[in-house]
Every structure is written in C-alpha cells, then in structure tokens.
C-alpha cells in the first residue's frame, strides 16, 4: 500500500477487535512506542514488566502484568529490552516454549558481539521460535507517525509460520516486511541501522581532497599570479570562475577513474593468463566503489553546467562583453565573423552537451528501480558502451576547448600547466589503453580468459 | 519479470494446458476482461451466469454454465459481481465450502460500508477461503494489454495456500502480486484505487493560493504601478519577469515550511517536558505532508532556474543590454569594472547554484527506490543536515541578491515591501530558532526528552 | 539489505558452519564461480564431476566426488551443465528422488527449445523437486563480486518448500530472490537474460530515421542554400544550430505520436461500436511502446533546452549581437523597445519552460519506483491530463515561436517549408481530434463503449 494512505490510517485508529493479543517485555521507550502503534492498529497489548504499577507513559488501553503472566496471554512476545538483560529470560524458558519471541534489539557498534543478539536469544530460549524484526525502525518515527524514510522492516528467523505471524503485524502497522531468510541473517540486519553511507566514504574523501588541491592550484594561477604580475584584483573569481574550472576537471578525472580499474583488471588478467586469482585488495575495493565515483563525477559535471549557463548573467562577463563592443564601436570598425572560431566554439559546446546528456542517462540507469528492471546484458551495454562514449565525448570536449593553448607559452604561468591539461592525463591514458584492448589480437585471449580458459592449465575437465 | 517482456507475452498467447480451471461468476465487463486474459495465459475458464446463453462478448474458448455447475468445475471461483448482489451466493455456500473465493470488487466511495466487501463475503460464505485480489487493476487495461501503470496486485486473505494459488494466477497474467497479510487489510486495499493523491491536496492548494497572491502582488507593483506613475507599458512582464519573482519566493517559503513544524515540535516538547503527549492535530498533519511541500518547493526552484537561465534570450533583456552599451559608446566612455558589484553578482549566483544543487539531491533521495536503500541514520543525515544546509544557502542567496535594496526607499512602491523581503520572514525565523535549538543548553534536554525522559515523571521503571 | 553492505559482506567471508551442504554438478565456469561464492557465504560445497581429480580452479575448500556420491551428500543439487548433456542425469533419477534440483541454465536464443530447460529437467527427473534459479546472474559478476546491476534472482518451481530453500541460499549470497510462481514461468525466466531492450528497438530506429531526415533537410535549407544563393559559409551550423532545430521538432512529433494511437483507438471503437474486437496489430504494438516514445521525446526536449541555453556562449551569437549593437551605435540611434516583440519572445519562452517542466514531471512519474506508488486513477490523471497539457503547451510554444513566418514568402526556400511547420502537422491533428472527442456528444458513447456497452449487441445478460 502506498505511503500516504498508511500515514492517514495511522491517524485514524482501526478499532477492529479481531487481532490477536501481543505481549511486549519492557516498558522502555521503544516498547511504549511499539505498543502505542499496535493499539492504534487494533492489537490488544499486554506489557510484561518487573514492576506492574501503571505509568502514565504506558498506552492507556494496555495491561501491565508480570513477565510470566503477560507471556501466557499471548502467542507473540516482543522483547524490547537490551541484550545485557536477556539472561532474566532464562527462568521463563518453559513459558516461552513454542511461542514466537521477537528480538528487536540494536547494538551501538558494528559486530559488537561475536553472535547476533537474535541468535544469542535463540540460544537462551531453545524452545522458542525466535524472529528478528523491527530493529530498523526508530521509536521516534513510530511515535510521531512520520515514517518518511524507508518503511522496510527486515524479518528473519528459522520458523516460517513464526515469520509469517510477525510479517502480518508489520503490515498491519503500515510497514513493509522483507523476508531475509534464516536467523543467520540477523547479524547483517543488526549491523544495517548503524551504517552511514559506508561505500561513499572513500570516494567522497578522495574527491574533496582532489577538489581542494585543484582549487588552490587555480587560486594561485588565476588570482594570486594576476594580482602580483598584472596588478588586477580578480578575487571575485573565487565565487564562480575557479569553481567552474575545478568542477569540469574533477568530473573528467573521476569519470576516468571509474573506467581505470576495469582496464587495470584486464591487464592483470592478460599478464597472469587466468581469471582465477584474486585481484589485489585495493583493486577489489576500487571496483566496488565505481558507481559512487561515477555519481560524484556526475554531480561535478552538473555543477559545471550550471556555473557555465549562468555566466551571461555575471556582472563581470557583462562588463567584459560591453567593454569589447564599445572599443570596437569607438574604433569605428566591425570585426568579421571568424569561421574557425565559430566552428571551435560550437564544437566544444556541442560535445559538452552530448557528453553531459549521456552522463545523466548513465546516472538515471543507476537508480535502483531502473537498474532492477534491466538484465545483465542491458546493464553492461549501458554502463560499458555508453559509459565509454561519455568518456570519449567529455575528453574531446576538453581537448577542443583547450587545444589552442597547449602550444602557447602564455598558458604556462609560473611554468605550471593550466589545470585542464592536468585533467586530461588520466582520461587519455584510459582511452588509449582501452583502444589497445579492443584490438582483436588482445581482445580474443582476454575473452577466453574471462570465459574460464587458462594459459597454463594444470587440469581441465 | 520486467514490464516489457510481459507485454510481449500478453500478445503471444501461451497455449500450455497445464493450468487449473478457473471459474468466474458474472459476465460483466471486468469478468469478461479477466477471462480473456486468463485464456490468453493458458487457463481454462468457466463462467457462472444466471443465463447460460452464449454471448459473442464472452471469450470464445470459455464455457458458460449455471453458477452451481461452474463452481463445481474449479477450485478457484472469482466473484466478478457487485457487492449488492452478493446475497445470491448464500444458497451456493455448500458448493463453495473449502474452495478459494476471490473478491475483486471495488466501491464508489472511501469506506462506503462498515466492513470491507471481502470481509462481508467471508461472513456470507463461512466455509470458503476468501481472498481479496485484482481490485487495483482496471478492466480496460487488462483488455487492451497496455499495463503501463503499476502492475502491482494487492492480495490478502486468511489462508496462506489460498493466497499462494491466487498469487500464482496473478504472476501468470504478467502482474506482480503483493501479499498484504490477513483479510483485515481488505478495507485498505478497497480504498486504495479510489484515492487521487490524498497527501498532495493540501500542499497543492496552499501553494497555488500563495502563488496567486504573490502573482497579483507583483502585478500591482511591477506592472500597474509602473504604468500609472512611470507611464511604461511592461505588460509582457506577466510572461517571465513576474513568474520569475514568484517562483523563487514560493520555493524559499515552502522549503522553510518543511522545516518549521520540526522546530515547532521541538518547542512544544521543551515546553511540555515530555514527548508522550500527542501534538495538536494540525501539526501532525503538517508533519505528514512535509515531503510533498518540499517537492513542490523543488518544482518552483526548478522553474526559477529555467526562467533565470533563459533571460539572456529575452527580447527585452537584449534591448536593455544594447541600450546600456550604446549609451556608453555614444558618451565615449568605458565604465571600469565595479569589483564590489562583481563580488555581489558572483556570490548570489554561486549560492543559488549550490542551494539548487543540494535541493535536487534532496529530491533524488526522496524517490521511493532511493529512500528504500538508505537506513534511518542515513535518511535523517540527508534530510536534516543537507536540508538545513540547503535552506541556509537559499536564504543567503536571497539576502545577497536583495540586500542592497532593503534600505533604499525606491524599493518601497506604495509603501509596500518587495516580495523577496516578504519571502525572507519564514526562512529567517526557522533558521534563528533552529540556531537557538542547537545550543547545548537547549539541545541536551531536548535529546533527553526524545529518548523518553520526562521533566515531571509520575512513574519510572 | 542494501547493495553496499552486501558487497562488503562478500569480501569478508562469513565462516559460520551452520549452512547445509550444497552439491554442484559440473565444474565449468559458472559452477566454479557459484561454488566460490557459496563457500564465502559459509556453505559446504561438494562438486559432482565425471573426473574426480582435484583442479586448482576448483575452490580449495570444496570436495570433488562422482555425481552419485556428491548427490547423496546434499539435499540441494545445482545442475551447472548445459541442456544438451542433461540426459546423463537419467541414471541418477533414483538418487535425486525427493531432492531439490536447481536448473541454472541459459539458452543462446529466445525460445530455442519447445519447452524450457527446467521443464525438460523435470520431465527427466519426475521424482525431483525442480527449481529454476540463478540464470539471470553472470559468472563474471559472482566471481568478481561487482554486482552493480540487478541483484534480482528469479526463482520458480512447483514445490513451495524447495523454492524456500533455494531462496534462502540466494539471500545468503547477498542477492534478492523473486518468486515467479510455478515452473511454467521458467520459459520466460530463461528468455529474460537474452533480451537487449526489446521494447526500445522500434522507437529508437524510428527516431533515428526521422532525425536523420530532418537533419539533412535543415542542412540543405540552412547551409547549402545559404552557401549557393547568399554565398555565406555557415558550415558550423552543423554543430549546434541544426541540432537545435532538429531536437525540438523530434520532441514535438514523438510526443504527438504518444497520444496519436489513443485517439485512433477511440475512433476505431466509435466506428465499430464495441470494444470487444482486437485492434489491428500495428496499433497494439504502437500502444505498447508509447512509454518509450515519450521518453525519447523527453531526451530530445532536454537536448533542445541545453542547446538553447548555451546559445549566448556561442562565438557566432556573440558576434551577431555585437554587430547589431555596433551598427546602432555607429548610426547614432537607439531602437525603442518593441512591445509586441517583447510579448512574443517572452510568451514562447514561458510556454516552452512550462511545457518542458511538465514533460520532466511526466518522465519522473514513469520511473518504476514512482509509478508503482500510484494507483490507476492517479496514473491516468498524470499521463492523460498532464500529458495533453504538455502537448498543448509545447505545440503553442512552437506556434508562437514560428507564427510570424507562416505568411512570409522568405521562409520558403526552394519552395520548401521550414521544418517547424512540418513538425506542427501531427500534434495539431492529435489536438484537433482530441478536442472533438471531448465533446459530450462524442464522449458519452465512447465512455459507454469502454464500459462494455455495444451498439449492436447480440446478447445481453
């Protein structure tokens, strides 16, 4: 059911009485939030607690009993207490025998304990049907009803019917259960809510580092050099001009870094003559973060597009344009159209537009819902064929843009090359090596190796 | 399976004979469409009807029998008649005992009856295994094979094997079954197809109302005032100039309205000293439509970007530019570069670009397939940290853009402020209050309250 | 679980010993890759092979036995050999009786054999519980761990528990199992990985053909004609000017082609007086590729926007602008603002912006994850109402842009119309016919027909 309708449902409690009673052990924050939500969804709730005094924090319609009494009233017991206190459950093992016991606990650190909390609970209560669920939902979200983020609740356990019962409750609360298989998956489920974009960390640090380096490089050449030698104060270049030099350079280098590991892997396989040896660790990790690198490259490319398109609106650009026109007018002459210049300017703009267009297309196909709808053949076609075409177009865009300055000595301030020259090193290397790899005499053995052939086979079936 | 392949399947009937016979009660439009599709997918179909005459509307390969005879031939009976006529089924209760009876009916209004149609059917036929399915698919779509929209078929029922049988049929028709749990979910499933963007209504009305107000406000100040006092006919401002004033104002205000309820909620919780009392209803509803408000704000921001970027192409802007240049040329002087102005112009453009970039990023993460792939921690990081950064950048963009006019009396036509001044009220308020809330002396008690602590506890476990 | 975490999992082998033994028949490439991955995920693996010599290609921790011995050690047997060699399994029928046998084979062509490989296997081994799975995953991806594309594994089979066992293995390998129902679905699952965008082929060929035609049409009129008669070398128009004429024309025509089949279908239904006769085949196929046509139209529209927005940066445009200004300055006059021109220019820009904005909105709602979250009513509202509004806005944009040239004889070089006049034929036709269809006297019978009514009924219930 869609997000919105469920939200509305949450506000209008369903008063149906047909739901089976659920027992919650623990009257802490999450236990109370879950109980509230369950009562709203029509479940009778019984709390099991050390002290059976009523508290105004506990939902009004819920009963509070001792742990043993509460457990006897329900077929499903939700354990909303922390792992350190699980041992208090051992005396209840007999009462919980055959019942569905739901572990909802989370840890504070990744892989904090040798076994997952749910597996530990299953060891303590060998007769109970332990199900892991609800740990990915926050108490605050349940309480406030603002379930904007993922409504997915990962469920795992060794007993199919027990899982089904829990998944029915999950659905009744307006959430989406996702069966993750046996209780062995509990470790991964418990680690899940602790992550903060683990695959993005390295690509983001790398690109921030590189971007900072290029920013200061440009600052030195474009602002400080100009100030010292030409006595022009172009400090306002910091806002747009320099970012618009750094962004395209970053986009091109990061895009090339997406395709570099594939090229390196091919060289390693050709050298070794087999695909059955592991790549070095750094190459494995690099290959796993290619998608992230590509998306960051796309972000830089988008910023480059925006910075470029606003340039006619810039006060500085308008001043420079009118200065040029006025000087022509005052000299009483009109320059004729420079055809070569018109070709150059239109070509690099067109190459840039096509490159950016394909880049956005690549970005769209990497959206989870789109990539789930294409098969391997289609995905490889898009990411490999279209990806290389994008890299070729973007490299050509940079080459045509800056080509004329390569040989001009004025482009080398302080004997340092302009940054777009630096930006061309990696993409040109990737394209040249890829070009060599496409030749049949290199491509054929590589294909054979990737299909399982070995140059020095020790055994063949 | 992906959408496309299934579409092809639908055109090339699968003539396999292994499928079990399905009985359909009712030869109305939906019954016929479903029968057609089932025969295409290889199911033998038997219709149960009051009159057993053959009609040319009924699929050729289907049999038409009396209700009782038809029901005996199949294990699954699909009831394709309206709820008002369900009582004719009571005499058939014995024949339908133990069979899977599928309710596919829809209502004309939300919550038309106290219980769902499927539950009503289950009451009439206590021995049958009632399953709710197919109500979200339209007859026209089944008939024409153009299943462009959602292929999801919500299925619910109290009998697991009965649901499995129905879900197999759903899959065979090229649709995706989604298990929604027990028959209690039928009410929600029956309401689902009647909705028309329920969560969008309020945000859309609000933004249209506000946009209309600002449009006429600008019309008065920019077109009518100019016409009366300066005798300039700038009526063409209606097409681009005024929309490009209204759009950024709307985007900024709506973005601030996304973060205002969170700030209000924090103040209420601090004042009450507890999180265990419900927020006022209006605040609850507001919090539930924050995503929609944010997306509408993004739409206005995108329009603002497009309107701004086309401005160099506008006939009026080109006329104004050349007028300025010509007057300089005729006066034989070249204005020097105004450094402060260059800084100002570049800064607000750069702030706007970065703000818009982050805004689009927020929009992308709110796509269902992306937000399903992030956990709570990641979602809150993006929506809260990046969201506030977006709000800060956009507010700064507006402040830098319009700053110089705050003190200039000519900005106050008819003693009314320019609309970007109005637009700054809400975002500045939100940012100031949020800034106060971030201070440790305020943040610490708030965090405690959100973790379940109470200032005046009546009971603690 | 999210993609990233699973990738990390794959690198850090889970050494849990609780997994049940899995037997793999065949030590070819895919068998080895699958075995490697399963051992990493904690499954003991036994290979069944003709020759039981150890090979260094086979994962170290795996045992290699004869087929019969290996099969006896495990409850799940994965058959990683080609269909042509399946008959060697017949002598093993007794040993495999009651076991779960997983068919992972793929074919080289669509519908290569009359029955699917999995069904053929089930015929050979009548006592085994055959499950189809894993055929959509590539060996190379499993081996390298770079599962960037779809992690979906389609699973089908006639035995629920057997499917559950296989789905648990799929999940343990970090992939997502998708239950596709009974073994009848195997044919479709086996065809799936062979497809390469089947629904996109016709729309892409059509649009490339049309685009090429319009490109050469423009080349003749804008470059060759100008060169011959006006002796101007505008060859650089090839880079931006001509693409920016072709793109909007293509976008408008393709968008109209999305709505044309719906209009034709309505006319056919009105003419026939019934909806119960199949449409001609070409119309059926056309209707099925409307989404693809629309997305290609959106791609052309986006390119048009980019080409238009860069125009102030073009060397040619800047030269033309300064030429105009200088000639005014030298003539010592300032042209007054042409109000009609300002209105015209602002109107077509504003219409274009709104049309493009709605077009992008339509594109976003056609993302799978978004369209899965809307019901039929909402989907039809967006695609029909908003779609026609987009078409109206885009047609108006073209009309206002080019209106003034319709009557000017200079617009007809070589007596040929300018291409934007050609581009208006299809959209205007669609809009006029649709306008007629909306009239109550036409709309009412059409609605009746679509609800199942017939003009000449032969039978009515």
């Amino acid at each position: 059911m869609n997000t919105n309708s469920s939200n509305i449902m949450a506000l209008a409690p369903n008063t149906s009485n047909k739901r089976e009673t659920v027992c919650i052990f623990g009257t802490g924050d999450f236990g109370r939030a879950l109980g509230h939500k369950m009562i709203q969804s029509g479940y009778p709730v019984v709390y099991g607690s050390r002290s059976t005094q009523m508290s105004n924090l506990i939902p009004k319609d819920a009963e509070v009993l001792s742990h043993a009494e509460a457990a006897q009233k329900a077929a499903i017991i939700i354990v909303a207490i922390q792992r350190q206190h699980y041992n208090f459950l051992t005396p209840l093992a007999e009462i919980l025998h055959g019942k569905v016991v739901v572990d909802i606990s989370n840890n504070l650190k990744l892989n904090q304990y040798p076994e997952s909390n749910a597996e530990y609970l299953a060891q303590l209560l060998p007769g109970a049907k332990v199900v892991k669920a609800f740990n990915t939902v926050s108490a605050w979200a349940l309480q406030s009803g603002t379930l904007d983020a993922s409504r997915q609740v990962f469920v795992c356990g060794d007993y199919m019917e027990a899982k089904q019962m829990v998944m029915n409750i999950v659905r009744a609360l307006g959430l989406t259960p996702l069966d993750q298989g046996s209780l062995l998956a509990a470790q991964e489920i418990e680690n899940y809510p602790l992550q903060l974009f683990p695959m993005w960390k390295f690509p983001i640090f790398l690109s921030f580092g590189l971007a900072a380096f290029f920013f200061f490089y440009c600052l030195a050449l474009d602002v400080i050099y100009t100030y010292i030698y030409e006595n022009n104060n172009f400090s306002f270049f910091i806002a747009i001009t320099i970012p618009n030099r750094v962004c395209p350079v970053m986009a091109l280098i990061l895009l090339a870094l997406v395709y570099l590991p594939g090229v390196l892997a091919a060289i390693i396989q050709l050298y070794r003559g087999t695909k059955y040896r592991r790549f070095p660790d750094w190459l494995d990790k690099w290959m796993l973060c290619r998608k992230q690198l590509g998306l960051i490259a796309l972000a830089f490319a988008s910023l480059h597009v925006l910075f470029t398109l606003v340039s006619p609106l810039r006060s500085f650009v308008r001043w420079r344009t009118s200065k040029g026109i006025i000087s022509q007018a005052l000299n009483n002459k009109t320059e004729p159209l420079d055809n070569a210049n018109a070709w150059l300017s239109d070509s690099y703009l067109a190459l840039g537009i096509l490159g950016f267009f394909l880049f956005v297309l690549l970005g769209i196909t990497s959206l989870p819902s789109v990539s789930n709808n294409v098969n391997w053949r289609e995905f490889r076609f898009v990411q490999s064929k279209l990806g290389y075409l994008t890299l070729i177009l973007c490299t050509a865009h940079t080459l045509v843009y800056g080509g004329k300055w390569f040989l001009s000595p004025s482009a080398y301030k302080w004997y340092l090359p302009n940054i777009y020259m630096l930006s061309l090193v990696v993409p040109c290397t990737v394209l040249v090596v890829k070009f060599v790899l496409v030749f049949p005499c290199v491509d054929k053995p590589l294909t054979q190796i990737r299909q399982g052939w070995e140059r020095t086979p020790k055994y063949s079936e």
Side-chain angles (χ1 to χ4, degrees), chain A residues 234-247:
Chain A
F234 284 159
S235 60
F236 60 86
F237 274 18
I238 290 170
I240 291 193
T241 309
I242 293 179
N244 199 21
R245 278 189 202 165
V246 174
C247 284

Side-chain angles (χ1 to χ4, degrees), chain A residues 35-326:
Chain A
H36 260 295
K37 188 83 181 171
M38 283 182 167
I39 288 169
Q40 278 187 332
S41 308
Y43 286 95
V45 170
V46 182
Y47 280 97
S49 171
R50 272 169 298 165
S51 141
T52 56
Q53 274 181 271
M54 267 314 281
S55 149
N56 70 326
L57 299 178
I58 289 175
K60 266 184 217 147
D61 302 323
E63 237 179 313
V64 182
L65 302 171
S66 75
H67 288 118
E69 286 171 318
Q72 270 161 340
K73 285 215 169 184
I76 297 185
I77 291 96
I78 294 173
V79 180
I81 46 181
Q82 287 172 304
R83 181 192 169 117
Q84 303 95 280
H85 309 124
Y86 277 8
N87 44 12
F88 94 92
L89 288 165
T90 9
L92 300 168
E94 210 167 305
I95 296 168
L96 298 173
H97 190 92
K99 303 216 165 187
V100 179
V101 177
V102 185
D103 182 298
I104 61 166
S105 61
N106 266 325
N107 294 325
L108 297 172
K109 284 188 296 186
L110 289 170
N111 301 314
Q112 195 171 0
Y113 298 99
E115 81 283 69
S116 68
N117 300 354
E119 286 167 300
Y120 173 61
L121 187 61
Q123 285 165 24
L124 288 177
L125 305 169
K129 296 170 180 167
V130 173
V131 173
K132 178 89 207 177
F134 287 113
N135 73 311
T136 52
V137 183
S138 88
W140 165 242
L142 274 177
Q143 188 82 34
S144 63
T146 55
L147 292 157
D148 302 316
S150 173
R151 301 168 160 273
Q152 294 179 344
V153 172
F154 299 115
V155 178
C156 76
D158 293 331
Y159 303 89
M160 202 58 207
E161 348 70 83
K163 273 201 280 189
Q164 283 295 340
M165 287 169 74
V166 175
M167 285 163 83
N168 279 338
I169 295 179
V170 172
R171 281 192 205 99
L173 303 191
L175 301 162
T176 312
L178 276 187
D179 189 346
Q180 296 292 306
S182 73
L183 208 59
L184 288 169
Q187 184 96 43
E188 210 183 335
I189 295 178
E190 288 174 11
N191 282 338
Y192 182 68
L194 297 170
Q195 298 169 351
L196 187 62
F197 298 114
M199 299 304 289
W200 286 89
K201 263 170 205 158
F202 174 70
I204 284 178
F205 284 133
L206 174 76
S207 44
F208 267 85
L210 266 177
F213 166 73
F214 285 123
F215 184 84
F216 289 111
Y217 192 93
C218 282
L219 193 69
L221 291 194
D222 292 328
V223 176
I224 298 173
Y225 182 95
T226 322
Y227 188 73
I228 296 175
Y229 292 94
E230 302 169 13
N231 210 11
N232 274 327
N233 179 4
F234 284 159
S235 60
F236 60 86
F237 274 18
I238 290 170
I240 291 193
T241 309
I242 293 179
N244 199 21
R245 278 189 202 165
V246 174
C247 284
V249 165
M250 288 303 300
L252 190 59
I253 291 179
L254 290 178
L255 182 61
L257 288 182
V258 170
Y259 290 96
L260 187 53
V263 160
L264 289 179
I267 293 173
I268 289 176
Q269 285 179 333
L270 275 173
Y271 174 76
R272 287 179 178 170
T274 175
K275 75 166 186 181
Y276 291 107
R277 277 168 57 200
R278 293 278 306 260
F279 291 126
D281 240 31
W282 54 267
L283 189 57
D284 259 348
K285 278 186 189 146
W286 191 349
M287 288 180 115
L288 290 177
C289 67
R290 286 183 294 182
K291 183 180 164 185
Q292 284 73 23
L293 282 172
L295 290 175
I296 295 176
L298 178 55
F300 278 110
S302 310
L303 282 174
H304 168 50
V305 168
L306 284 174
F307 278 124
T308 304
L309 291 177
V310 298
S311 75
L313 307 173
R314 291 174 62 196
S315 182
F316 168 67
V317 172
R318 282 182 299 185
W319 169 80
R320 203 177 49 189
T321 308
S322 53
K323 202 180 111 184
I325 296 173
I326 291 166

